[in-house]
Amino acid sequence: MHANPPSVTTGDKLALRMLQFGGPAIVLAATPYKAFDLDRYFVPKELVLLVCAAVAAFAIATHLARLSLTTVDLALVTFLVAGLGSAVVSTNPWAAERAMAISAAGAALFWTASAVRRAGGARPLIVALAWAVVVGALTALAQAYGVQTEYFSLNRAPGGTFGNRNFVAHLCAIGAPALVYVTTTARRRAGVVAGVLGAVAIGAVLIMSRTRAAWLAVILAAGAVVLAAMMSGGRWRGAHTVRRLVALGAGAAVGAAAAMFLPNRLEWKSGTPYLDSAVGLVNYKEGSGHGRLIQYSNSLHMTEAHALLGVGPGNWPVVYPKYAARGDPSLSQEEGTTANPWPSSDWIAYMSERGVIGFAALLVVLAGLLRRAIADIRSSRPSPELADSDRVLMSIALVGTLVATVVVGSFDAVLIIAAPAFIVWALAGALAPPSDRTVVARPWIRIVAIALTVVCGCFAIARSGAQLAAIATFSTSSHITTLARAARLDPGSYRIHLKLAEAYVARGECARAKPEARLARALFPNAAEPRRVLGSCGAR
């Protein structure tokens, strides 16, 4: 039934358009600057995340009539406040600001997507997000089948516009439930056909990526979805639901078979790469699985030493070398730095960086969303804007999304990086059943919300834009004046400060080299290279 349709404001419409634009934009955002193999993907995606979150939040805040006050909302606020407190005492405040910006933007996306759902705009938003995931999968397939561009990375191919096949596979696992939802509830046959083709692309990428965390996530999410469907007492079945589910499964199977048997441009070292990955699905005795156990153990020691607030958002790579033994697989060849700027688990990252308060608050958020979805699945209360089967399927999709996120987040970075954070938080807001626990947003609340959005949003966007400008500047020339300009644009870049210090040393200008080396050392106190540069200048 469509009685009592929700009131839609101009702010709701603008927020919806920004989130619809942001999904594919964040998937495609990348730069060709190969000197920054990770940040040439992450920084532009972070900029898209911050701009879309700030504009959408401002649009909602200017027309805010009621404020949601559920356990999930209060826990999410607690998570942000705990992160802010941790950032204040962190060693590297620039890394802390960057990580906090992603967390705050994710929270803003959740709240704005929730507002869009209350205004009746959930379906077009979910469609856009599901197709953003498919677009990401298509970029990976394009690379796998021979498309060459400066925006793809040869390392960890086929990563497409993510630069790493694991990241695109994680996103496919997380976005699969949303694609299933929009296909099974499609109003037109064209939507069903498009959804099945999307399943072909996702199935192919999941196999071709050889990403075991994504494989495990799909298996466990599928199991959770089946259990949730059983809880509904069959109310998920629409007129065409079962037939469309079979078509989606067939499409995914076709994509998987094509990935395994059609020739591609990927150069695996093994003659049976997919079988090797399947056999080692839960292998923790050797390889990356064993390395993760070492990393988790050391990170937990780090958490013990900083239990309340953690070491600071984004500061895991700053502090981890202090707790790692020589030869630790998480360390890079350069002494005193990690191979990756995050641990191989969201939950280890949040626990060690945000402490028990922030980590517990995030667990409450996820558990609260899961509880809300299950309650809605079991409920027979009619929805004013959705058919009963559509409403139940939406909540089932939320269960699948949450389970997939938790699983891939157990083995790699997900919510702490921009693209998956955008998709997860926006989907969570759009799929989560609205709560009746709201209060009137008084004028002062609206003013505070607008002020926070403008001040924090502008600062974070300016900072991210400066990082992108620094990367572009650094990549244009190795001339020392260019490096100095890049360092001014991004004072939080360890790499740029160190490179500039080394350039000064090469010219015999130790007086200029020492300040840059000290700035690099302040950002990463355990790194050996700044100490080496200072030592070559007779300083400490």
Side-chain angles (χ1 to χ4, degrees):
M1 295 180 63
H2 295 272
N4 302 317
S7 174
V8 181
T9 67
T10 304
D12 296 326
K13 294 177 181 178
L14 177 58
L16 172 60
R17 296 292 177 262
M18 283 304 302
L19 297 184
Q20 286 177 311
F21 163 79
I26 201 167
V27 163
L28 294 174
T31 67
Y33 307 123
K34 295 184 179 180
F36 293 81
D37 195 44
L38 290 174
D39 278 347
R40 74 186 184 108
Y41 297 101
F42 290 162
V43 173
K45 292 182 190 301
E46 288 168 20
L47 186 56
V48 172
L49 168 70
L50 297 173
V51 170
C52 290
V55 174
F58 180 80
I60 294 297
T62 54
H63 295 82
L64 190 63
R66 300 193 69 82
L67 195 66
S68 177
L69 281 180
T70 66
T71 301
V72 169
D73 299 306
L74 295 177
L76 192 51
V77 171
T78 302
F79 170 69
L80 294 177
V81 172
L84 185 61
S86 181
V88 170
V89 297
S90 63
T91 301
N92 187 331
W94 296 105
E97 181 277 331
R98 185 176 177 181
M100 274 303 300
I102 293 174
S103 294
L109 287 175
F110 171 75
W111 284 317
T112 54
S114 298
V116 167
R117 169 157 183 175
R118 287 193 294 271
R123 181 175 178 79
L125 174 54
I126 299 167
V127 169
L129 295 171
W131 279 102
V133 173
V134 174
V135 169
L138 291 175
T139 68
L141 290 177
Q143 183 179 16
Y145 288 104
V147 174
Q148 297 181 359
T149 169
E150 294 296 309
Y151 294 90
F152 292 164
S153 173
L154 296 178
N155 297 325
R156 309 292 292 178
T161 51
F162 292 81
N164 186 309
R165 64 177 182 267
N166 291 334
F167 295 146
V168 68
H170 296 158
L171 197 68
C172 286
I174 291 167
L179 181 67
V180 171
Y181 167 74
V182 300
T183 306
T184 54
T185 59
R187 306 294 188 259
R188 299 177 181 177
R189 182 171 296 179
V192 179
V193 173
V196 172
L197 293 176
V200 173
I202 286 179
V205 169
L206 284 172
I207 293 299
M208 198 174 288
S209 69
R210 300 178 58 197
T211 303
R212 289 169 290 184
W215 293 1
L216 191 60
V218 169
I219 293 169
L220 294 180
V225 163
V226 170
L227 289 175
M230 293 171 62
M231 290 180 189
S232 74
R235 286 182 294 110
W236 56 272
R237 292 191 185 93
H240 310 287
T241 307
V242 174
R243 187 165 56 219
R244 292 177 179 181
L245 284 173
V246 171
L248 283 165
V254 168
M260 287 188 285
F261 299 113
L262 290 181
N264 56 57
R265 298 295 182 86
L266 301 177
E267 298 179 357
W268 303 120
K269 296 180 180 179
S270 167
T272 56
Y274 307 114
L275 179 61
D276 294 345
S277 295
V279 170
L281 186 62
V282 291
N283 183 5
Y284 60 88
K285 295 183 178 179
E286 58 186 7
S288 61
H290 181 64
R292 280 185 171 89
L293 291 183
I294 295 173
Q295 183 192 93
Y296 296 168
S297 176
N298 291 335
S299 297
L300 289 175
H301 290 314
M302 186 193 311
T303 304
E304 280 184 295
H306 304 82
L308 190 61
L309 292 176
V311 299
N315 273 243
W316 177 87
V318 177
V319 181
Y320 181 84
K322 181 180 177 181
Y323 294 85
R326 185 178 295 274
D328 187 312
S330 293
L331 297 180
S332 69
Q333 294 179 352
E334 177 189 335
E335 184 182 350
T337 60
T338 57
N340 288 316
W342 54 76
S344 297
S345 168
D346 266 355
W347 319 124
I348 292 294
Y350 285 124
M351 195 184 306
S352 60
E353 293 182 349
R354 316 290 174 103
V356 294
I357 298 176
F359 179 66
L362 182 59
L363 289 183
V364 171
V365 171
L366 297 175
L369 288 172
L370 184 62
R371 179 178 177 275
R372 193 188 296 182
I374 292 173
D376 190 62
I377 289 167
R378 290 176 167 174
S379 172
S380 58
R381 182 179 61 177
S383 169
E385 75 276 5
L386 293 171
D388 190 49
S389 60
D390 283 17
R391 176 183 61 80
V392 173
L393 284 170
M394 193 177 284
S395 291
I396 291 175
L398 177 59
V399 171
T401 302
L402 291 174
V403 171
T405 300
V406 168
V407 174
V408 293
S410 298
F411 300 99
D412 215 331
V414 179
L415 294 179
I416 57 178
I417 58 179
F422 187 109
I423 300 298
V424 169
W425 287 115
L427 277 177
L431 293 170
S435 172
D436 296 330
R437 298 178 184 176
T438 60
V439 296
V440 175
R442 300 185 181 277
W444 70 267
I445 295 178
R446 191 158 49 246
I447 292 171
V448 169
I450 293 171
L452 282 174
T453 301
V454 171
V455 173
C456 296
C458 288
F459 178 82
I461 290 169
R463 161 79 175 132
S464 185
Q467 282 181 288
L468 189 57
I471 290 173
T473 301
F474 181 93
S475 302
T476 57
S477 170
S478 59
H479 196 277
I480 201 162
T481 57
T482 303
L483 298 180
R485 192 181 312 119
R488 289 194 298 270
L489 285 167
D490 186 6
S493 175
Y494 165 83
R495 180 173 188 173
I496 295 176
H497 283 304
L498 180 60
K499 188 73 173 178
L500 182 56
E502 290 173 339
Y504 281 132
V505 168
R507 291 176 52 168
E509 299 183 35
C510 277
R512 292 186 175 184
K514 287 186 286 186
E516 298 298 331
R518 288 185 177 121
L519 286 171
R521 185 179 61 183
L523 295 171
F524 282 82
N526 295 297
E529 285 302 300
R531 295 197 299 270
R532 182 189 62 76
V533 172
L534 288 169
S536 67
C537 288
R540 299 180 60 184

